[in-house]
Amino acid sequence: MAVSADPLPSRVADRQIGTSTDTRRQEEGELTDQVRVVIVGAGPAGLVLGNILRARGVDTLVLERNSREYVQNRARAGFLGVHSVRVLTEHGLAGGLLRAGRSHGTCVFRTGEGELTLYYGQLGRGESHVVYPQQDLVTDLVASYLDRGGELRFGVAVTDVDPATGTVRYRDSFGAGEVTGRFVAGCDGGHGVTRQAVPGRPATRDHGVSWLAVLAAAPQSMAAVTYALHDRGFAGHMARGPQVTRYYLQVQADDEPSAWTEERIWTALGERMRVGEYWPLRTGPVTERRIVHLRSAVASRLQHGRLFLAGDAASLISPSAAKGANLAIMAAEVLARGITDVLTRDDERVLAAYSRTCLPRIWRAQEFSHWMIELLHAPAGDDPDIGFRRSLRRARLDSLRDSRAHQDFFAENYVGI
Ligand code: RFL
């Protein structure tokens, strides 16, 4: 469905001045109490949405709990699929990514029986990832959003949303305030407040697996994404930048990151990656370590009244298949189209179908991610049930090795949504 090329007239002049009694907040720059679209959260979902809407002249306000420095330095995703690259390119948001991103189309499964290398960029639809650190993408998106005249407030924590009226209540360093949007986008991540305003219990799963996510100031050790399957637990290796590499180590759920000293990290990585049989890791200072519990949660619906959920707020997904940021960008694009259609042409069809459009894709990604979790983690022990699961994992890898059809299916799901 085409969207009118005519940008909406800016509504800045029409805005009512906030009714807050706190004049200091107004002196900082008036925070108006009527906005067309209030976006909660300046992550990939909120910023892609804000950018597309601003390019179409829609009046937007992004409220972000953390500081600009914090969001621009928060290292998370790195692997963007073709769909995300297309969306970012089409909307003029891919400058940095096309300049500094690196194409990546190979992954390796390393086990006690050897390596299985999949050139997934040449399988399936022949699509590769682009590796571009999420914090660099967020930095680009903040800059372009401000260039497009978008309003963005850091250090503003939304406390609750009324989906019926579009009222968003928040707290900032001046106290409490509220703003009303014709539409409210809940882009506040997996632990935000907006999803609580949508009725219905999300479908959840605790995958029972925890990772120590490590960032090392070191070049990548291998040419490909490497998944090492080992009786002591999974270990992963993923490129991020020329001097930054992400590693994962499966750990106990109650492990403290501080208990993982640099020496312990490199020893465990070396053992699980079986470096003795291959080549040594290129070590460097560990710049970040945090525990990530592999959990999923999918909202039963993504819309309630004026509130629409996007990104991790709609669907929290484990990082096992690198899908979260990609789903966030997908949902932001659909939502931007729906909102623009309503504002420019009074056409509600895309917006009315928002949940129906996004949920099947979210579930496909969850299904693949769950498949990856089962593939990467085999529990230790002699229990017959555990032995059964280990043998299933081997059968899965055998199938991936032997069946071109299975490889094509893997490649399509790995890169696509
Ligand atoms: P974000 O990025 O969490 O941003 C949400 C923003 O909302 C703010 N916020 C609030 N603001 C105002 N008021 C409140 N009450 C607020 N509550 C929260 C937060 O401060 C934050 O700035 O969510 P978004 O935009 O939905 O984006 C989702 C992605 O960040 C996430 O899915 C990915 O990072 C997941 N992920 C990966 N995804 C990929 O597609 N490819 C990858 O390679 C990949 N690797 C990863 C990952 C996630 C990881 N972790 C840490 C979970 C690797 C890791 C280790």
Side-chain angles (χ1 to χ4, degrees):
M1 192 180 301
V3 171
S4 164
D6 292 333
L8 291 162
S10 168
R11 295 285 299 230
V12 174
D14 297 345
R15 286 183 191 161
Q16 297 172 21
I17 296 185
T19 50
S20 163
T21 50
D22 193 323
T23 48
R24 271 198 307 146
R25 183 186 286 130
Q26 291 175 10
E27 281 161 12
E28 266 235 328
E30 55 186 55
L31 198 50
T32 56
D33 68 357
Q34 294 266 312
V35 185
R36 274 192 165 141
V37 185
V38 180
I39 300 171
V40 185
L47 291 168
V48 170
L49 175 65
N51 267 288
I52 301 177
L53 290 175
R54 278 307 307 153
R56 293 170 181 167
V58 178
D59 182 18
T60 54
L61 167 66
V62 176
L63 300 177
E64 165 58 50
R65 184 177 57 186
N66 285 299
S67 67
R68 181 171 184 174
E69 196 197 359
Y70 179 88
V71 300
Q72 293 189 169
N73 285 293
R74 186 173 40 190
R76 300 179 95 188
F79 275 60
L80 296 174
V82 257
H83 181 84
S84 301
V85 175
R86 179 191 61 74
V87 171
L88 295 168
T89 306
E90 278 180 16
H91 295 283
L93 302 170
L97 179 147
L98 296 175
R99 232 182 357 262
R102 292 185 294 164
S103 176
H104 196 103
T106 314
C107 70
V108 171
F109 295 92
R110 192 180 277 185
T111 70
E113 282 107 57
E115 282 191 339
L116 165 63
T117 302
L118 290 182
Y119 297 98
Y120 63 85
Q122 296 163 35
L123 295 163
R125 299 198 189 96
E127 296 166 340
S128 298
H129 285 112
V130 172
V131 182
Y132 190 57
Q134 180 167 324
Q135 66 274 28
D136 295 347
L137 178 65
V138 165
T139 301
D140 298 347
L141 291 171
V142 168
S144 59
Y145 176 73
L146 295 174
D147 276 355
R148 292 174 184 195
E151 196 172 355
L152 199 169
R153 295 299 169 112
F154 292 102
V156 178
V158 169
T159 49
D160 74 274
V161 175
D162 181 343
T165 58
T167 305
V168 176
R169 296 184 191 87
Y170 59 83
R171 293 195 71 81
D172 60 12
S173 56
F174 305 127
E178 62 179 51
V179 61
T180 301
R182 175 157 174 200
F183 301 104
V184 179
C187 304
D188 47 347
H191 308 285
V193 296
T194 59
R195 66 154 51 160
Q196 291 156 23
V198 174
R201 281 183 40 201
T204 58
R205 182 168 174 93
D206 182 340
H207 299 285
V209 175
S210 300
W211 286 357
L212 182 74
V214 171
L215 276 180
Q220 63 195 80
S221 297
M222 301 138 204
V225 172
T226 301
Y227 301 105
L229 283 55
H230 195 280
D231 284 348
R232 287 190 180 267
F234 160 74
H237 160 276
M238 270 148 227
R240 280 297 188 258
Q243 287 300 325
V244 182
T245 304
R246 188 172 278 295
Y247 289 95
Y248 294 117
L249 275 172
Q250 185 181 352
V251 296
Q252 300 297 321
D254 56 359
D255 271 7
E256 287 294 330
S258 55
W260 283 87
T261 59
E262 293 207 6
E263 195 192 343
R264 189 174 169 208
I265 288 170
W266 290 115
T267 303
L269 284 170
E271 180 184 22
R272 298 183 197 184
M273 299 223 161
R274 299 179 168 86
V275 289
E277 297 161 46
Y278 296 91
W279 47 84
L281 299 176
R282 300 168 84 175
T283 58
V286 169
T287 54
E288 191 187 294
R289 73 198 85 182
R290 53 182 297 194
I291 304 281
V292 179
H293 303 293
L294 271 54
R295 293 192 180 120
S296 296
V298 182
S300 54
R301 51 199 271 200
L302 308 188
Q303 186 223 337
H304 183 50
R306 300 184 187 202
L307 173 63
F308 294 79
L309 303 179
D312 280 8
S315 152
L316 186 62
I317 188 164
S318 87
S320 56
K323 293 287 182 218
N326 291 291
L327 286 173
I329 293 169
M330 180 273 295
E333 192 203 27
V334 177
L335 186 53
R337 187 149 35 100
I339 290 175
T340 318
D341 279 0
V342 172
L343 293 178
T344 55
R345 310 192 273 135
D346 225 5
D347 181 347
E348 294 187 346
R349 283 175 295 175
V350 172
L351 206 52
Y354 177 66
S355 282
R356 276 200 311 281
T357 305
C358 294
L359 277 171
R361 298 192 214 177
I362 287 171
W363 278 111
R364 284 280 301 274
Q366 290 282 359
E367 192 278 326
F368 183 69
S369 186
H370 185 250
W371 183 91
M372 283 290 278
I373 291 171
E374 295 281 309
L375 183 69
L376 301 178
H377 308 95
D382 299 329
D383 195 276
D385 174 62
I386 289 173
F388 185 84
R389 286 171 60 190
R390 261 200 238 123
S391 299
L392 280 187
R393 180 170 82 163
R394 186 164 309 124
R396 253 180 211 183
L397 274 178
D398 287 348
S399 170
L400 257 185
R401 189 191 54 226
D402 298 339
S403 160
R404 171 66 199 244
H406 198 170
Q407 291 173 7
D408 287 333
F409 182 79
F410 172 84
E412 270 183 36
N413 280 277
Y414 195 46
V415 189
I417 293 182

